[in-house]
Amino acid sequence: MNIQKINELLEAQASTAKTHQTQPASSSANSETTFARQPASTVVDMTQQQLVSRLLQPDADYGRIQGCRKPSLFKSGAEKLAAHYQLRSEVSVLHRTEDIPNQFVSYEIKVTLYNQAGAVVSEGLGAANSKERKFSRGDFYSSINTVIKMARKRAFIDAVLTGTATSGIFTQDMEDIASPPTEIHQVG
């Protein structure tokens, strides 16, 4: 797709989005204005869906998970959306637990997305630990890197869904949470 066509789609999206802006619902005593909010699914317009369908490939960048009503956004799709909107990411470790003798690691990650001007567009949170079923079947030491990458991936997808206003189209990457819940154990 050429740049001119993308710009036309973005202009059409911006003009459509103006018709979906919320109007003040009421004023409170402290002179703050409260805005009525529409659910994200009603704000997503066909232009945005067309743009997404041109940028992303089914079964590679997103896919349907049985039991979910919306398709799940995969990491490759999140990367393409972030690149399209020219967003850069910054990763922070909010919390880490590394209890090597008990073969347990846990990471909480925050990904912040910035626009070209350096303004924060969105933040996403993600967590993973070595007691999750997918990591507990193998060599603990080999899974440490995978655990931190999974937490980062979850945070990145969360930030992209919010920052690109595509949560009305996609859900969080369900491949990570489709398995039964994992028991949580307090360490230390």
Side-chain angles (χ1 to χ4, degrees):
M1 173 181 290
N2 66 32
I3 298 296
Q4 181 181 3
K5 187 67 176 170
I6 292 172
N7 287 336
E8 289 171 6
L9 287 171
L10 287 174
E11 287 173 19
Q13 178 184 357
S15 66
T16 304
K18 287 179 184 176
T19 65
H20 292 292
Q21 289 179 346
T22 56
Q23 299 298 317
S26 65
S27 294
S28 63
N30 63 4
S31 75
E32 290 183 24
T33 304
T34 304
F35 289 92
R37 300 196 70 162
Q38 294 179 333
S41 60
T42 63
V43 176
V44 174
D45 56 50
M46 285 302 291
T47 305
Q48 186 178 23
Q49 290 176 343
Q50 289 170 349
L51 178 65
V52 166
S53 71
R54 289 183 178 151
L55 289 175
L56 307 182
Q57 298 298 312
D59 302 321
D61 299 322
Y62 66 93
R64 289 225 175 253
I65 307 297
Q66 187 173 2
C68 297
R69 63 182 180 85
K70 293 191 285 188
S72 298
L73 182 63
F74 301 146
K75 184 176 179 240
S76 60
E79 290 168 339
K80 287 179 181 178
L81 286 170
H84 172 76
Y85 287 103
Q86 300 178 348
L87 303 174
R88 69 174 178 83
S89 64
E90 182 178 283
V91 179
S92 305
V93 177
L94 298 179
H95 181 68
R96 76 181 333 136
T97 300
E98 295 170 329
D99 186 358
I100 304 303
N102 289 314
Q103 296 193 344
F104 179 79
V105 294
S106 175
Y107 301 96
E108 262 182 68
I109 305 291
K110 177 175 78 170
V111 170
T112 306
L113 294 180
Y114 298 90
N115 64 18
Q116 285 187 306
V120 173
V121 173
S122 68
E123 294 180 333
L125 299 175
N129 72 71
S130 57
K131 295 294 184 188
E132 291 181 40
R133 182 168 293 158
K134 66 172 48 187
F135 303 125
S136 61
R137 296 183 209 122
D139 179 42
F140 165 74
Y141 297 99
S142 299
S143 69
I144 294 172
N145 188 49
T146 306
V147 171
I148 197 163
K149 284 183 176 185
M150 185 59 68
R152 184 199 178 284
K153 176 180 132 177
R154 290 171 179 170
F156 180 69
I157 292 172
D158 181 30
V160 168
L161 285 171
T162 303
T164 62
T166 52
S167 60
I169 299 171
F170 298 111
T171 187
Q172 178 76 22
D173 191 348
M174 294 301 291
E175 73 183 27
D176 297 334
I177 56 178
S179 58
T182 304
E183 288 184 44
I184 297 175
H185 300 279
Q186 186 69 21
V187 176

